[in-house]
Amino acid sequence: MIRLTVDPLDPDPGLVNEAAVALLAGGLVAFPTETVYGLGAHALDPHAVRRIYHAKGRPSFNPVIVHIATPAAAQALVTAWPVAAERLARAFWPGPLTLVLPRAPAVPSEVTAGLDAVGIRIPAHPVALALLRAAAVPVAAPSANRYTELSPTTADHVRHSLGDAVDVLLDGGPTTVGIESTVVDLTSGHPVLLRPGMISAGALSAVLGEPVLRAAHEPESDAPRRSPGQVERHYAPRAELAMLGAGEIAELHHAPDRVGLILRTATVHVPGAAAIRLPDDPHGFAHGLYAALHTLDEAGCTRILVEELPRDPAWDAIRDRLERASR
Ligand code: TXA
Ligand code: MG
């Protein structure tokens, strides 16, 4: 693996070009987006896309998001561009929002896992945008972790999870948003939320002028699924994870086994437990969450207790990830 360290706000064009050349040659390039690190491949090269599935150990029924730098490049990947897509793209791109739209024939079925729809987004990270412009092709990129593991928010997370399966690792420091993009399906008459993210259902509804409904859970099966984010245990640390009220955490007088705590408001001290405090606001909490889980995993914790989240919808996407991780 070649690791190239770049300034997150002003990446060196020579290093970005080196990564773009690797992409165009069919290589796998891990790069930072504002949400999490992506494992990128030339989206129009079926062989390169198959390498993503192999590197991640990911079942072939999970479609991959395609990243582009401009709305025109986005429209070239789809056969319909409804008013809803135009409104959401104007409001939230570049940004942590993926739109699912009918796939154009140019998009290989490897990208969409055989589905007739493709997920697309313009990321808001200067390094991701520089890479997309330099390569001048759409880039298929799932999160740069092995299947069912935690998404990476730093280059070291990528290296630990994928190692030499990656050809080039663009290190642009920690990501800012910290959890994966909101995914909304626009292929039917009504927008459907496939995966919650920091752009909330309420924010989407406000722009669209209609409610955005949450997709029903799909049963496990080998059929191509609308949303691989709905795989039961996903986004999970190795440790067993549970959510607990601040009061219940305060009653733990000592840690029974190797317990890690993720606290928000509680000021308890539990002897024997490793504790990480995250900000008591959804953006700060999301930003630090995966790094905290990675740290506690690496410290050898077998249980992670997370202080319960406020019921406010601004915390919905974070609650979704923690609930999946605790299954
Ligand atoms: O923030 C993100 O979205 C990150 C960065 C790298 O962009 N990517 C990411 O990709 O999280 P991945 O592969 O780990 O998650 C893929 C998600 C699924 O949960 C699914 O909802 C959606 O993308 N998706 C992609 N293509 C789709 C399609 N054709 N139909 C339905 N859902 C799709
Ligand atoms: Mg993922």
Side-chain angles (χ1 to χ4, degrees):
M1 176 211 284
I2 299 171
R3 182 167 179 156
L4 305 172
T5 301
V6 292
D7 185 315
L9 297 178
D10 183 23
D12 181 296
L15 297 179
V16 170
N17 264 331
E18 195 176 330
V21 167
L23 261 182
L24 292 171
L28 295 183
V29 174
F31 61 97
T33 78
E34 77 279 36
T35 57
V36 301
Y37 273 70
L39 180 63
H42 186 333
L44 306 181
D45 176 349
H47 180 73
V49 175
R50 278 198 292 273
R51 289 190 61 203
I52 293 178
Y53 288 91
H54 185 74
K56 283 181 62 93
R58 178 179 180 143
S60 55
F61 55 70
N62 277 349
V64 177
I65 295 170
V66 180
H67 299 71
I68 57 280
T70 64
Q75 288 172 31
L77 299 172
V78 300
T79 56
W81 187 253
V83 177
E86 181 64 24
R87 289 200 177 132
L88 293 177
R90 277 181 191 272
F92 298 112
W93 279 357
L97 176 66
T98 297
L99 302 180
V100 173
L101 289 160
R103 152 176 95 99
V107 179
S109 65
E110 280 81 357
V111 169
T112 63
L115 293 173
D116 50 14
V118 60
I120 53 178
R121 85 175 184 103
I122 303 182
H125 196 294
V127 176
L129 287 171
L131 178 67
L132 291 167
R133 290 196 190 103
V137 293
V139 173
S143 53
N145 53 279
R146 287 191 57 81
Y147 181 60
T148 76
E149 284 180 4
L150 278 177
S151 289
T153 57
T154 68
D156 276 338
H157 295 158
V158 177
R159 187 171 53 83
H160 287 146
S161 184
L162 294 173
D164 281 328
V166 179
D167 297 307
V168 176
L169 170 55
L170 269 177
D171 180 353
T175 65
T176 51
V177 175
I179 66 172
E180 305 82 355
S181 63
T182 305
V183 180
V184 61
D185 183 352
L186 299 178
T187 58
S188 72
H190 298 284
V192 177
L193 186 68
L194 296 181
R195 180 172 71 181
M198 294 309 284
I199 295 178
S200 67
L204 299 175
S205 300
V207 167
L208 294 174
E210 63 175 311
V212 175
L213 299 178
R214 181 80 195 261
H217 266 264
E218 286 182 29
E220 293 289 302
S221 86
D222 284 348
R225 57 189 74 239
R226 298 306 293 174
S227 176
Q230 294 178 8
V231 170
E232 281 282 297
R233 188 173 158 82
H234 210 96
Y235 314 110
R238 286 190 297 274
E240 186 190 308
L241 188 143
M243 289 163 85
L244 227 57
E248 295 166 285
I249 293 177
E251 279 161 24
L252 297 169
H253 292 300
H254 66 95
D257 46 7
R258 307 201 59 140
V259 169
L261 301 177
I262 296 182
L263 304 176
R264 189 170 50 78
T265 62
T267 51
V268 294
H269 174 69
V270 181
I276 295 180
R277 175 168 299 280
L278 292 178
D280 186 23
D281 73 275
H283 292 282
F285 195 96
H287 171 72
L289 177 61
Y290 287 168
L293 293 172
H294 277 286
T295 300
L296 294 174
D297 254 353
E298 274 152 35
C301 293
T302 53
R303 292 195 73 198
I304 298 176
L305 303 176
V306 183
E307 183 182 340
E308 253 167 22
L309 305 175
R311 281 283 139 198
D312 188 282
W315 292 83
D316 279 356
I318 298 166
R319 182 174 306 102
D320 168 81
R321 301 307 189 276
L322 287 172
E323 280 173 357
R324 287 175 198 289
S326 64
R327 283 201 186 106

